[in-house]
Amino acid sequence: MVAIARYMNVTLIVPLFDNGTYWNDNRPREKAGIRSATLFIGPINYASLRYYNQWALPRILKRGVLRFPLTDSRLANNGLADEVQKLRCRANYEALRFTQPIEETGERIVSLLRQKGPFMVLHLGYEKDMVAFTGCTQGLTKQEIQEVTEMRYSYKGWKHRGIDPGSKRAHGACSLTPEETVLVLQALGVDRNTTVYIAAGKIYNEEKRMANLAMAYPNLIRKEHVLNASELRPFLHHNDQMAALDYIVAVESDIFMPTYGYGNMGRAVEGHRRYLGYKPTILLNRKLLVSLIDGYKKGTLSWDEFALLVKKTHENLTGKPARRRTAPDHPAFEDHFYSNPYECLPPFIH
């Protein structure tokens, strides 16, 4: 949005955070005070700058103000001048800052973790609302499936049509379950004594679903374990602020591994770590992994075969220099700009 506003030479009024759609956080917010005088613009995603010049700017000049109800994925990933892409990077990685309490608390978590040595951040996309939103039900009981399905249908704007979880999982469109994640970590050779920080909200049926992970990696830790209650109390009932703390820790970690490839946080952290010098990020090939995991569980692959294939598959998927995958006719399926802002990175990768 900063790049769009700069291109049109208009003032950008920073919007309120949309807490209700994904964060399940609907506390009252102050009204903007301009609703009755505002012209709304529909959610046009991955638009070119020409679109904003020909469609949006005339409306701003006529009405004086234009309100965007959604602000993510508003600008195309590709086909823009390098100077525009670099402005996006400067805004995202240099200008934008969390509030001072969030910054200080996030850095304190990092400092306390560093006292124990190197640490890995595991971004588990397995909160109840995420399971419900995606419709991915691998490993759930019939009662749990009914519970998360009812939750999905109860939210306005979420997909209320049937979802084929088996097909979604086979295409790599589901987060790995905590149990599947354990197998991947072990296959990749992550030492059991590694400090593994969990960047996530409350995991769905946490005691049961996290048991294998906790047993395999006893140094499993969360912000609730690092900070004392008084330090964390100001953020406890603000899901977006709790996620911001995890973001800071994830960016600063020695290794980062997201288990869900379509989440905004995972992609944003990936890009930020590239921007900071290609800090190691394990980018999981979930489509292949679920096939390998199923093969191992069915006995068609031995552990050694399974581990070798997992390592071989991911030896170059560590956030190293690369170009984004493009799909001009289907931009939603492209690599997101913020996951790999290569126009802002050292020129040798061009």
Side-chain angles (χ1 to χ4, degrees):
M1 294 305 299
V2 171
I4 292 169
R6 175 67 184 86
Y7 175 76
M8 294 192 295
N9 196 26
V10 298
T11 299
L12 173 66
I13 301 174
V14 178
L16 293 174
F17 190 85
D18 177 13
N19 295 279
T21 303
Y22 299 107
W23 295 102
N24 193 21
D25 185 359
N26 289 302
R27 296 181 313 282
R29 296 289 191 272
E30 294 182 6
K31 292 183 179 179
I34 60 171
R35 184 163 297 180
S36 61
T38 301
L39 176 66
F40 286 78
I41 182 171
I44 305 298
N45 291 336
Y46 309 107
S48 66
L49 287 175
R50 179 181 297 179
Y51 165 83
Y52 289 101
N53 185 55
Q54 296 182 348
W55 196 93
L57 184 57
R59 285 160 175 77
I60 293 176
L61 295 175
K62 179 179 179 181
R63 302 292 295 269
V65 64
L66 188 63
R67 181 171 187 261
F68 290 76
L70 296 173
T71 57
D72 60 331
S73 303
R74 282 300 194 170
L75 191 57
N77 293 314
N78 303 294
L80 302 172
D82 279 4
E83 96 178 69
V84 175
Q85 302 290 52
K86 289 176 181 179
L87 174 58
R88 296 169 88 172
C89 288
R90 290 200 300 275
N92 200 48
Y93 307 124
E94 305 291 345
L96 290 177
R97 289 286 184 271
F98 292 114
T99 61
Q100 185 175 346
I102 292 175
E103 289 272 6
E104 291 179 350
T105 305
E107 291 301 331
R108 174 160 170 73
I109 296 173
V110 172
S111 176
L112 291 171
L113 289 170
R114 284 267 178 253
Q115 293 176 18
K116 300 180 179 182
F119 66 95
M120 172 183 190
V121 167
L122 188 61
H123 183 220
L124 285 177
Y126 212 77
E127 298 89 346
K128 183 179 180 180
D129 54 351
M130 278 300 297
V131 176
F133 178 75
T134 60
C136 296
T137 57
Q138 174 72 11
L140 300 187
T141 65
K142 289 183 179 180
Q143 181 178 348
E144 290 167 342
I145 292 173
Q146 181 178 350
E147 184 178 38
V148 296
T149 302
E150 288 175 354
M151 182 179 185
R152 186 173 78 251
Y153 277 82
S154 71
Y155 275 79
K156 183 180 179 181
W158 284 17
K159 293 179 180 177
H160 292 169
R161 63 178 186 274
I163 293 176
D164 182 346
S167 176
K168 253 191 117 167
R169 177 174 176 268
H171 284 86
C174 289
S175 174
L176 294 185
T177 68
E179 297 87 349
E180 291 171 336
T181 302
V182 176
L183 294 176
V184 173
L185 290 174
Q186 292 175 325
L188 289 171
V190 177
D191 189 278
R192 70 176 268 104
N193 295 315
T194 301
T195 297
V196 179
Y197 178 95
I198 301 298
K202 183 174 175 55
I203 301 301
Y204 184 45
N205 286 343
E206 184 164 341
E207 186 174 349
K208 179 181 77 171
R209 301 310 298 271
M210 294 291 284
N212 288 356
L213 190 55
M215 186 178 299
Y217 292 93
N219 293 327
L220 210 61
I221 198 165
R222 306 181 64 131
K223 52 188 171 292
E224 292 86 352
H225 305 142
V226 179
L227 300 176
N228 61 51
S230 63
E231 290 175 303
L232 199 57
R233 188 174 297 119
F235 312 103
L236 280 177
H237 302 294
H238 303 269
N239 293 340
D240 52 341
Q241 294 179 24
M242 293 286 274
L245 295 176
D246 284 342
Y247 182 95
I248 292 170
V249 179
V251 168
E252 294 292 335
S253 64
D254 296 282
I255 300 174
F256 173 64
M257 189 177 96
T259 62
Y260 181 57
Y262 298 96
N264 286 334
M265 176 168 164
R267 291 187 295 194
V269 171
E270 176 193 344
H272 201 154
R273 289 172 67 82
R274 289 180 188 268
Y275 188 80
L276 293 176
Y278 300 107
K279 301 177 75 173
T281 300
I282 301 174
L283 305 173
L284 298 177
N285 183 336
R286 291 175 310 284
K287 183 176 180 179
L288 180 59
L289 280 175
V290 296
S291 174
L292 295 177
I293 289 169
D294 290 347
Y296 170 66
K297 288 183 175 180
K298 291 174 182 176
T300 57
L301 287 174
S302 69
W303 173 257
D304 288 344
E305 291 171 325
F306 170 73
L308 178 63
L309 289 169
V310 171
K311 287 178 181 175
K312 199 165 187 60
T313 299
H314 293 88
E315 60 187 0
N316 292 316
L317 296 178
T318 56
K320 293 179 180 178
R323 281 189 171 275
R324 290 187 300 275
R325 181 180 65 248
T326 62
D329 296 330
H330 302 282
F333 297 102
E334 294 181 327
D335 288 338
H336 199 280
F337 170 78
Y338 286 114
S339 69
N340 182 11
Y342 68 76
E343 294 91 339
C344 309
L345 304 178
F348 67 84
I349 70 169
H350 282 261

